[in-house]
Amino acid sequence: MKRKSWLPVSLALILILTLLSACGGNNNGNNASPSSSASASPSASEPSASPSASASSSESAAPSALSGKLVIWTFFDQVKDMAAKFMEKNPGVQVEVKMFPGDQYQTKLLTALQSGKDLPDIFDLERGYIGKFIDSKFLTDLSAMGGEDLVKDYVPYVQGLGRSADGKLKAISDHSSPGGFWYLKETAKKYLGTDDATEIGAMVSDWDKLVETGKKVYDQSGGKVHLIENAGDLFDIMAYNTEPWVKDGALNIDPKWKDTYAVQQKIRENNVDAKLEFMSAGWGTALNSGTVVLTSMPAWAGFMIDNKDDKAVGKFGVASTPLGFYTGGTYRGIYDKSPNKELAYEFIKYIASSEWQTYNLGKTGNMPGLATVYQDNMDSFKSSFFGDQNILKPYYDTVTKLPALSADKYGEEILSLWRKSAGQGITNKTDYDKVVASFKKEVKNAFPELKVD
Amino acid sequence: MNTKINKSYYGYIFIAPFFIGFLLIGLAPILYTFYLSLTKWDGFSDPVYVGAANYTRLIHDSFFFQTIGSTLIIWVMAIIPQILLALGLALILNERFIRGKHFFRAVFYFPHIVTPVTLGVLFSLMFDWQTGSINKVLMNIGLVDDPVNWFNNPWWSRIIVAGVICWQYFGFNLIIFIAGLQGISKEVYEAAEVDGATKPVIIRHIILPLLRPVMLFTFITSVIGGLQLFDAPLMLGDGPGNSTRTMIMYLYETAFKNFDYSYGSAIAYGIFIVVMFFTAITTLATRTKKE
């Protein structure tokens, strides 16, 4: 009897150990560096080596060369290029980029920050949720590290967005994302009579003119072509030309929203818009086929252009919108408890430099964050879709006028609630007061701590 | 007697891995969620104890009650056609004279292996107001003059969401029903045929009563699944006036979009109570049927 009894016990033990090791195995999987090039370093178990005490790579040439390893978390593929360029310049540094695409990133980042384990040295924050992170204890105060110097020549709104409520610089972006009306020159010529960006900009310099132009386009095309994609585009444009949604702990609805709502209804009633959702399949088709004349686009959205076999080269133009706006933006901050803060700061310094931003402008067409890079390239920069047009000019006019507001945790979420209520209101021709009432109810529900009258 | 007790002791060791796993991965988060629901926590600062405040808020939250209603409406609209369709097709595909039944079973099962998110995106493209294929077809055959804004109408939105779910799961239920039908002894059919029973009589008096355990299984699994509706409706949006927002969508939006983890936890417990309630009803209904 006794002899037999060790068998089930040991089997059960094996099962328990297997289960536990499976849990542990997952953790190891997360810790392990995906890049096999790290194998040169003997201390593979500890991903973050201090910049000073790196034993390896004594052969790297530069005298005051940086060395060590950095881990960056992002949702954005192009960070890999950024890291490659930085490593090219600093051969002693190894930058590991971990990418988590889509919505998971935000949750993954917050969970990791809370647990305090397996964390990056630098992490990216998107404009949509930077407001939630900016006042948290997780971000290093870059002002104290000399960050003010890096952003002194920045476009005001770009550096403003990276600041916490007390004005400290917490995150820096390497680009700006101004918006403009993109158009197919051929379509514009047919329906607006010109393909010149300045003339088109003048035709839509205010909302009344835009509605009038829209009516003409609709009539002239027999109802087949519309001037703009969606009346909802005005939400994006007005979001940065109105007062913040929360003031002193209370919901604040800028009176301009009422006028905007009236304009949006006018746009819808007069068939000025094609009623296509931003970034939807139909929206992209219209942009490329010309069934919509003007598409309000952020400067980074060039990937929406169908450029197979270079067919879009020189075909597009960009005109200014009635009011300046921007969409999105990626910011980068340093984790406050990172042991590699100094090295991480060098990376931030690099992406804030005109060297990187000029290179990035040329390679990807992403607009710079530095106003000086705009100025230096104003007359020379050409982008393949836009032919001879100096597109930096309209964008520079736009970005320099935008106010330097810092992000807060409510702005984007409340805007999306407004978009939901007012968007339905426009379609259903609902009275403005009713829209406001349902909006207030939503805000009160989502943020009970706010005062809503 | 003694030896028997000793033997069962080893049994406990064998089942221990599951319970250790459950304690670590299952129970600990459940209890932690309850702790969170008694706090105020945005994920950035430390949780602050607030007692039952989140539950008081939940009881007065009309949006939460609306999501319970929406979930049930969508569930009922999905489950009835789903079971009827699955049962009808199972009866047909179980007939000996049907050719290529294996092919059809595979085809009907196919939507079930596609992820709900994909189906959600697919249906949202099909029913798009301006560019959707459904509107294009309807306009081409002259049924409507202007494109229909499906997702601007609460009932159409719910029908589409229910349609996605129905289409996804009827194939699964079909397989279950076919398995059930094949479990019915051939002798019973033959006896009925010898007695001169017609097909409808066989279906009504033999097949359906004998299929009851399988139907109950389908019903109970769909109650559980129906109350957890999330991914497909999420892709189709909240609907006008939040008419297609389900309970889990509301939990997700509160906790992971607004970063209100504490209230999200309270909603999770609210949903738990709702699910318990409907499971109890289902259990009672099952009992009365047995008696």
Side-chain angles (χ1 to χ4, degrees), chain A residues 12 106 114 132 420 428 445, chain B residues 13 43 57 152 242 250 257:
Chain A
Q106 199 191 155
Q114 282 156 5
K132 291 175 186 160
K420 187 166 129 184
N428 298 327
N445 180 256
Chain B
I13 300 177
R57 183 178 158 193
N152 193 42
N242 301 320
Y250 188 52
K257 276 177 84 185

Side-chain angles (χ1 to χ4, degrees), chain A residues 16 19-20, chain B residues 13 15-27:
Chain A
I16 294 170
L19 178 87
L20 293 177
Chain B
I13 300 177
I15 57 168
F18 166 77
F19 283 99
I20 293 171
F22 175 73
L23 285 178
L24 289 175
I25 304 161
L27 193 64

Side-chain angles (χ1 to χ4, degrees), chain A residues 169-219:
Chain A
L169 195 67
K170 292 289 188 75
I172 293 182
S173 176
D174 67 323
H175 62 273
S176 51
S177 17
F181 276 137
W182 289 24
Y183 56 88
L184 269 168
K185 286 180 185 166
E186 204 185 311
T187 320
K189 200 147 202 176
K190 195 166 168 193
Y191 295 104
L192 302 177
T194 174
D195 60 5
D196 180 80
T198 325
E199 284 178 40
I200 293 173
M203 282 180 196
V204 293
S205 59
D206 63 47
W207 300 121
D208 289 336
K209 282 187 187 169
L210 184 136
V211 172
E212 283 313 308
T213 315
K215 274 189 205 166
K216 273 184 220 155
V217 170
Y218 183 78
D219 294 340

Side-chain angles (χ1 to χ4, degrees), chain B residues 2 29 36 41 67-68 78 89 122 127 131 153 156 175 182 190 195 199 208 223 226 244 246-247 271:
Chain B
N2 240 342
L36 279 185
W41 190 45
T67 60
I68 299 177
L89 285 169
L122 181 72
F127 285 91
T131 55
N153 177 306
W156 274 123
I175 300 290
Q182 289 176 349
E190 282 162 10
D195 286 350
K199 206 79 209 176
L208 290 184
V223 168
T244 58
T246 65
M247 293 189 288
I271 294 173

Side-chain angles (χ1 to χ4, degrees), chain B residues 61-75:
Chain B
D61 185 351
S62 60
F63 286 94
F64 178 62
F65 290 105
Q66 190 194 9
T67 60
I68 299 177
S70 302
T71 311
L72 289 176
I73 292 171
I74 294 171
W75 175 74

Side-chain angles (χ1 to χ4, degrees), chain A residues 1 5 7-9 11-13 15-16 19-20 23 103 106-107 110-111 114 132-133 136-138 268 274-277 280-283 409 413 420 424 427-428 438 441-442 444-449, chain B residues 3 7 9-10 13-14 16-18 20-21 24-25 40-46 57 61-64 125 128-131 149 152 238-242 245 250 252-253 256-261 263:
Chain A
M1 265 313 255
S5 66
L7 186 73
V9 175
L11 269 173
L13 266 174
L15 285 172
I16 294 170
L19 178 87
L20 293 177
C23 297
D103 278 356
Q106 199 191 155
T107 317
L110 187 58
T111 318
Q114 282 156 5
K132 291 175 186 160
F133 285 80
S136 74
K137 58 188 175 191
F138 304 122
R268 187 54 60 82
K275 309 182 194 90
L276 298 167
E277 293 276 330
S280 67
W283 181 91
K409 68 181 220 183
E413 293 306 326
K420 187 166 129 184
Q424 279 168 19
T427 310
N428 298 327
S438 95
K441 209 177 148 199
E442 294 260 2
K444 218 172 183 170
N445 180 256
F447 305 104
E449 70 274 23
Chain B
T3 45
K7 270 182 189 168
Y9 166 75
Y10 295 120
I13 300 177
F14 272 106
F18 166 77
I20 293 171
L24 289 175
I25 304 161
K40 169 125 198 74
W41 190 45
D42 63 357
F44 292 97
S45 43
D46 296 326
R57 183 178 158 193
D61 185 351
S62 60
F63 286 94
F64 178 62
L125 287 176
D128 189 272
W129 182 16
Q130 295 297 319
T131 55
N149 192 352
N152 193 42
D238 282 348
N242 301 320
R245 180 156 73 176
Y250 188 52
Y252 172 77
E253 282 178 19
F256 300 107
K257 276 177 84 185
N258 295 343
F259 283 3
D260 194 345
Y261 289 110
Y263 189 53

